[in-house]
Amino acid sequence: MADRQDQNSGTTPVREAHRFDEARLAAWMADNVAGYEGPLTVEQFKGGQSNPTYKLTTPGRAYVLRRKPPGQILKGAHAVEREARVLSALATVDFPVARVHGLCTDDSVIGTWFYVMDMVEGRIFWDATFPQVSREERPAYFDAMNATLARLHGIDPQAIGLGDYGKPGNFFERQIGRWTKQYHEDVEAGRNDDMDALIGWLEAHVPPQGEVRITHGDYRCDNMIFHPTEPRVVAVLDWELSTLGDPLSDFAYHLMMYRLAPPIATGIAGADLAALNIPSEADYVAAYCARTGRAGIPDLQFYTAFNIFRLAAIIHGIKGRVVRGTAASAHAREMAEKFPALAAAGWKAAQGG
């Protein structure tokens, strides 16, 4: 996983396809970001498959800019305005997120909508076995991830102004419909037999509607920043897929780390958990259930198959952007090649595998 750490960590000069008028951005910052003082230096983060992400450096501080990708994009995708909204709302209850300084919905500034937030210092772990952490400390890092997600699922959306952040009913029907539609419409990326079979199975096995909570949608170790030295999450990143939905589905997505492994996903399948001192899947589920007052998680098979389907649909979208030449990451082609294996894993999960 060291390669993935190298591929995604740090910055690079802004890629040709993602350049913009930096003077226009600096002028917008001066007008919209309290305390901003230039001059401004712009670099692009290596990671960020979907929304191009930039590091903005000034003499006094650093910021992060997230934007919609340039070029043709699917309707409803890359909704940076939703990211900015959920970050701002969660900050009001001290949930660990970066502070948002401003949202720009004027395409004339850099060519697409964007928002600017704080640059949070800390560590990102691109390998879910946490190799940089001592064996003794490792359980505390897993517990921090577990506790942070349980805390998110304990927040009442209505209480922080997110009661209309997503439609409250028929979550799975809507999600399956949304991702199936994007999969079908992205003709350039092609069709896949396993994906088609998985869609049919999911449509026929939707469980009853549970409670509605804020769901992150892509909760995994490399989408959070840990404290520089402590086993503590200081910021959860990448809220592009967040909505109101089923918290158990959100947890099951995170739980996929036990079912999948690189290069398909950031996971620990096949790793010697006892030797690494990583909690078992059963223990991890039990910890989440204890924190959220549950006896267990029924329909875990459906949740697992659904989440692999959704991840496959996201990778299918990256494949389409590779074909069209608008993919954000230098490693998007490698990601796109994972689509058939993910679709196959989803269909296997649906069949109880």
Side-chain angles (χ1 to χ4, degrees), residues 8-22:
N8 291 284
S9 297
T11 59
T12 183
V14 178
R15 291 190 276 277
E16 184 67 39
H18 300 137
R19 288 182 183 166
F20 54 80
D21 186 336
E22 294 178 12

Side-chain angles (χ1 to χ4, degrees), residues 255-261 267-269 281 300-301 304 308 345 349 353:
L255 201 64
M256 282 200 306
M257 65 183 168
Y258 286 95
R259 310 292 183 95
L260 301 175
I268 54 178
E281 181 178 0
L300 190 57
Q301 180 179 334
T304 301
I308 298 175

Side-chain angles (χ1 to χ4, degrees), residues 59-309:
R61 64 188 301 176
Y63 306 88
V64 173
L65 181 151
R66 292 261 292 173
R67 69 179 293 194
K68 292 175 182 270
Q72 176 192 351
I73 60 174
L74 296 169
K75 184 180 179 183
H78 314 287
V80 294
E81 68 279 12
R82 285 177 58 81
E83 287 189 48
R85 182 184 175 194
V86 73
L87 288 169
S88 298
L90 288 169
T92 66
V93 289
D94 294 324
F95 187 81
V97 288
R99 177 188 170 204
V100 174
H101 291 280
L103 169 70
C104 179
T105 57
D106 178 356
D107 285 339
S108 72
V109 179
I110 69 167
T112 61
W113 292 14
F114 68 90
Y115 70 94
V116 173
M117 61 182 165
D118 273 342
M119 171 92 177
V120 178
E121 296 298 337
R123 294 170 294 166
I124 295 179
F125 296 96
W126 295 94
D127 183 333
T129 64
F130 287 75
Q132 300 93 328
V133 170
S134 72
R135 184 180 185 278
E136 294 70 32
E137 283 188 299
R138 218 162 270 143
Y141 283 80
F142 275 77
D143 203 54
M145 293 194 293
N146 190 297
T148 303
L149 189 58
R151 184 179 165 200
L152 175 68
H153 294 159
I155 296 169
D156 177 1
Q158 203 78 38
I160 60 170
L162 293 178
D164 62 347
Y165 190 62
K167 297 175 183 175
N170 304 315
F171 171 74
F172 290 111
E173 290 92 338
R174 288 184 290 101
Q175 283 283 304
I176 293 165
R178 172 192 171 186
W179 291 109
T180 298
K181 186 168 183 280
Q182 290 202 11
Y183 165 67
H184 286 159
E185 287 180 352
D186 205 336
V187 178
E188 294 97 332
R191 296 284 287 269
N192 173 281
D193 288 345
D194 288 326
M195 190 72 162
D196 291 340
L198 175 57
I199 289 168
W201 184 89
L202 289 170
E203 289 173 340
H205 292 85
V206 176
Q209 174 78 46
E211 67 177 329
V212 175
R213 283 290 185 262
I214 301 157
T215 58
H216 179 274
D218 197 13
Y219 191 81
R220 55 179 203 252
C221 66
D222 50 315
N223 271 340
M224 55 193 89
I225 299 174
F226 285 82
H227 184 276
T229 59
E230 300 170 16
R232 181 159 57 86
V233 177
V234 293
V236 179
L237 307 174
D238 199 352
W239 293 80
E240 184 191 349
L241 299 175
S242 61
T243 188
L244 296 187
D246 190 321
L248 291 176
S249 174
D250 204 31
F251 176 68
Y253 176 90
H254 175 52
L255 201 64
M256 282 200 306
M257 65 183 168
Y258 286 95
R259 310 292 183 95
L260 301 175
I264 291 177
T266 310
I268 54 178
D272 187 338
L273 302 188
L276 291 165
N277 201 22
I278 290 173
S280 68
E281 181 178 0
D283 287 346
Y284 200 76
V285 170
Y288 175 84
C289 288
R291 285 188 164 108
T292 57
R294 290 182 171 85
I297 302 180
D299 300 309
L300 190 57
Q301 180 179 334
F302 174 87
Y303 295 140
T304 301
F306 165 76
N307 277 295
I308 298 175
F309 153 73

